[in-house]
Amino acid sequence: MADVAVAKSWRDELASLVEDSGIRFNGDVVVPTFEEKRSVYDESPVNEEVEVESESLKDQIEGFAKAWGEMLMELMRGCRDVVQQSLLTEESYIVKKTKGPLAEVSKRLSVLNEFLPEDRDPLHAWPVIFFVFILALSALSVNSKQDISGKLVKEVYIHPPSATRILLPDGRHMAYREMGVPPNRARYSVIAPHGFLSSRLGGISGVKMSLLEEFGICLVTYDLPGFGESDPHPERNLNSSALDIQYLADALGVDSKFWVLGYSSGAIHAWAAMKFIPDRVAGVALFAPFVNPYESSMTKEEMTGTWNKWTRKRKLSYFLARRSPKFLDYFYRRTFLSGKHGQIDKYLYLKLGQKDKALSSEPAFEEFWHRDVEESIRQGSTKPFIEEAALQVSNWGFSLVDLQVQEKCSGKGILSWLKFGYGQVKCELSGFLGPVHIWQGMDDQVVPHQMTDYVARILPSVVVHKLPDEGHFSYFFCEECHRKMFLTIFGSPQGSLEESIEAPTEDYGYQEAANLAMAAE
């Protein structure tokens, strides 16, 4: 059938779009119209050609994704409105039960807001920080499963037990190591507690046996509780640490006073010995001594200069050790307790100076470091390391100011003043009376020199030996450095004692004035 083009009025066009309602207007003539419908299968040509562009698969996927995204956004907005209007109102049961505890937690965590910029709202900033933290942990989890390309990772090997052990009064066993001359022939006895991630194998790294014998020194190192082959302590603190040093000296037959040598974080146990067993300590030698970075008596310059030298990971580790020590378990098991060796700066989150980088890359240092770590983590537990980290930054039970030499007189009140006027009041010196020597590298990024500056300010009697351009490991495997140290604190070498000769008296440590001229470097 041929198509016939018929001109239609506007009423006809409207009628073709809607159904017939039965309403008629005056003057209208109803003329039935018939519209021919074509079959979809009719392939005959038509006058009007309609071009329909086919939609690609990519466009369909993009449209589908946009639609789903809009739907999810609307769903999230709806859920948020429902939660705000029903669960987060003041009359809500959940709000009534959790308002108090959440307010207490928010108050405790409000100290973290000090780390945010002033123009940032904590309510919006912390969710973003938490989300980024989760992403960072995920990235670390993926990267940790991949070995470093081009470099073999050395596996940790736990050696058979080889230490000599003593039984302490509380039933624990302590592992120790002797170097130099025997205690009964020693002119000077030196006890050296080790620092974090170390063991009795540390001591004075690389010291020669011939040098110890030349000066008549008996050097004793020991494993801290839970480290190496020493039994853990159920309630560790710095007071118990000082008593362990005293028990070790008694067990070895060191009846006279002994010197205490502290390196890096091992210095906290030397500070404890000066505080709790001062009558047994002849003197103290410290190398880059660590002090509590949260010490309130530090000036702003000393504290800022210390924290600015540390990496962000190390700052975080100190924060966790002070606030939430249990979280350190995760980091320790992924580093030095992972069963594989690593670089010292990576495992301890250190920033090293030029000399320290060069020294730590030498084969002798790497061999010593690996063996010391293997002995330190022998027991495979994170507990002693968490305890040691917490001890470093927690309340020590004393301040370094307490070690300052002061004159204290007995008696209080008006009667004591009257006695003082007649010269009847007895005054005694308090604090640590023995000599204290500190060697500090001025390029030390691990224990910055600001810590030693703080010690020198509050303890004026301390003798500080500043080492320009030296770092944290400068006294490792340095025979000349070891000799200078012994000359400074002990004077000229005199060899060991004969067994028939009595041990030196308690005054042998107080020859500092005679040795100051030799201490100039």
Side-chain angles (χ1 to χ4, degrees):
M1 181 183 292
D3 294 336
V4 179
V6 180
K8 298 181 181 180
S9 65
W10 67 271
R11 289 187 176 88
D12 296 334
E13 294 287 343
L14 180 62
S16 65
L17 297 177
V18 298
E19 296 181 355
D20 186 7
S21 61
I23 302 176
R24 301 291 183 266
F25 298 96
N26 295 331
D28 291 344
V29 178
V30 179
V31 180
T33 59
F34 300 92
E35 183 178 356
E36 181 181 2
K37 295 185 179 180
R38 295 181 178 275
S39 171
V40 295
Y41 302 100
D42 190 0
E43 298 180 356
S44 60
V46 294
N47 293 338
E48 297 180 4
E49 296 181 1
V50 180
E51 296 183 359
V52 179
E53 297 182 357
S54 61
E55 192 176 14
S56 65
L57 179 62
K58 179 180 179 182
D59 295 335
Q60 295 178 8
I61 295 176
E62 289 181 354
F64 182 79
K66 290 180 180 179
W68 266 101
E70 293 175 357
M71 293 173 61
L72 288 176
M73 290 296 296
E74 292 297 330
L75 178 62
M76 293 174 63
R77 292 192 184 101
C79 294
R80 181 193 62 185
D81 294 339
V82 171
V83 171
Q84 290 179 347
Q85 296 175 11
S86 59
L87 300 179
L88 300 182
T89 60
E90 292 294 335
E91 294 78 12
S92 172
Y93 174 81
I94 297 178
V95 172
K96 291 180 180 179
K97 290 294 183 180
T98 60
K99 185 176 181 180
L102 289 178
E104 182 66 22
V105 173
S106 177
K107 182 180 179 181
R108 293 188 177 184
L109 296 180
S110 61
V111 66
L112 298 177
N113 294 335
E114 299 177 0
F115 297 96
L116 296 176
E118 296 181 356
D119 57 342
R120 291 290 184 269
D121 184 8
L123 188 62
H124 298 105
W126 284 116
V128 175
I129 294 175
F130 179 76
F131 179 72
V132 173
F133 178 73
I134 296 299
L135 289 180
L137 288 181
S138 301
L140 290 175
S141 176
V142 173
N143 292 334
S144 64
K145 297 179 181 179
Q146 302 176 359
D147 292 339
I148 301 175
S149 59
K151 185 177 180 181
L152 294 177
V153 179
K154 185 178 179 181
E155 300 287 339
V156 171
Y157 173 71
I158 303 301
H159 297 256
S162 60
T164 306
R165 304 207 304 174
I166 62 171
L167 181 64
L168 299 176
D170 59 0
R172 292 181 294 118
H173 288 89
M174 175 187 287
Y176 71 95
R177 180 192 187 194
E178 281 186 24
M179 295 181 66
V181 301
N184 60 340
R185 295 180 53 206
R187 190 174 296 274
Y188 308 106
S189 297
V190 179
I191 298 180
H194 63 79
F196 188 84
L197 196 56
S198 186
S199 69
R200 68 184 185 280
L201 303 182
I204 305 177
S205 307
V207 65
K208 301 288 187 180
M209 287 289 295
S210 58
L211 185 63
L212 296 174
E213 294 172 353
E214 182 181 350
F215 282 85
I217 298 173
C218 175
L219 176 62
V220 181
T221 58
Y222 66 97
D223 290 331
L224 294 175
F227 290 71
E229 297 184 39
S230 289
D231 294 338
H233 193 293
E235 297 178 357
R236 280 187 69 194
N237 54 45
L238 289 183
N239 190 3
S240 67
S241 178
L243 293 178
D244 282 350
I245 295 177
Q246 178 175 307
Y247 295 149
L248 177 61
D250 294 340
L252 296 178
V254 180
D255 299 326
S256 58
K257 287 188 174 183
F258 51 83
W259 280 73
V260 178
L261 187 147
Y263 167 70
S264 191
S265 60
I268 67 174
H269 306 287
W271 300 126
M274 295 166 62
K275 171 61 179 178
F276 297 111
I277 54 171
D279 296 336
R280 297 298 308 275
V281 180
V284 178
L286 302 170
F287 300 91
F290 182 89
V291 299
N292 191 337
Y294 293 95
E295 177 60 53
S296 59
S297 57
M298 295 180 72
T299 63
K300 183 179 180 180
E301 292 75 15
E302 294 165 348
M303 188 169 290
T304 303
T306 297
W307 284 93
N308 288 344
K309 297 289 181 67
W310 291 337
T311 62
R312 294 181 179 178
K313 285 187 176 180
R314 193 176 183 196
K315 295 176 183 178
L316 175 62
S317 66
Y318 283 141
F319 175 81
L320 293 177
R322 185 173 175 87
R323 299 288 185 179
S324 302
K326 292 183 179 180
F327 285 103
L328 294 174
D329 180 274
Y330 172 82
F331 296 97
Y332 293 166
R333 292 200 177 278
R334 303 185 74 83
T335 51
F336 53 83
L337 284 172
S338 63
K340 297 181 180 180
H341 283 296
Q343 297 178 347
I344 187 172
D345 56 335
K346 302 299 182 183
Y347 274 6
L348 298 180
Y349 315 127
L350 306 179
K351 182 170 63 175
L352 302 179
Q354 294 298 327
K355 281 201 171 183
D356 285 337
K357 286 182 180 179
L359 180 61
S360 60
S361 61
E362 293 182 359
F365 180 92
E366 185 173 317
E367 182 181 358
F368 163 79
W369 156 253
H370 288 173
R371 181 66 182 92
D372 196 26
V373 170
E374 289 172 346
E375 189 63 29
S376 178
I377 64 174
R378 169 182 293 275
Q379 301 185 31
S381 173
T382 60
K383 185 177 180 181
F385 298 97
I386 294 175
E387 291 174 345
E388 187 70 10
L391 277 179
Q392 295 175 7
V393 296
S394 61
N395 184 4
W396 289 359
F398 67 95
S399 174
L400 294 186
V401 180
D402 301 336
L403 304 178
Q404 186 175 0
V405 178
Q406 298 177 351
E407 188 178 36
K408 289 188 176 182
C409 301
S410 59
K412 296 181 180 180
I414 299 177
L415 183 59
S416 63
W417 282 100
L418 293 176
K419 290 182 179 180
F420 181 80
Y422 287 99
Q424 298 179 358
V425 177
K426 184 179 180 181
C427 297
E428 296 180 351
L429 293 178
S430 63
F432 183 71
L433 306 179
V436 180
H437 290 267
I438 295 178
W439 283 265
Q440 176 67 50
M442 301 307 291
D443 192 32
D444 192 339
Q445 308 292 318
V446 182
V447 178
H449 67 84
Q450 283 82 3
M451 284 191 168
T452 296
D453 295 341
Y454 161 69
V455 175
R457 178 174 60 83
I458 63 172
L459 299 177
S461 61
V462 170
V463 180
V464 178
H465 309 275
K466 296 183 178 180
L467 310 176
D469 302 324
E470 299 293 341
H472 194 68
F473 307 130
S474 294
Y475 267 68
F476 280 36
F477 307 99
C478 177
E479 184 176 358
E480 181 182 356
C481 303
H482 300 159
R483 179 175 291 276
K484 286 183 178 180
M485 176 190 67
F486 292 153
L487 287 172
T488 300
I489 60 180
F490 299 136
S492 301
Q494 302 179 33
S496 61
L497 298 173
E498 297 296 334
E499 293 187 15
S500 59
I501 300 178
E502 294 183 0
T505 61
E506 295 182 354
D507 296 331
Y508 77 90
Y510 297 93
Q511 51 180 308
E512 178 183 7
N515 297 332
L516 285 180
M518 305 177 64
E521 299 180 4

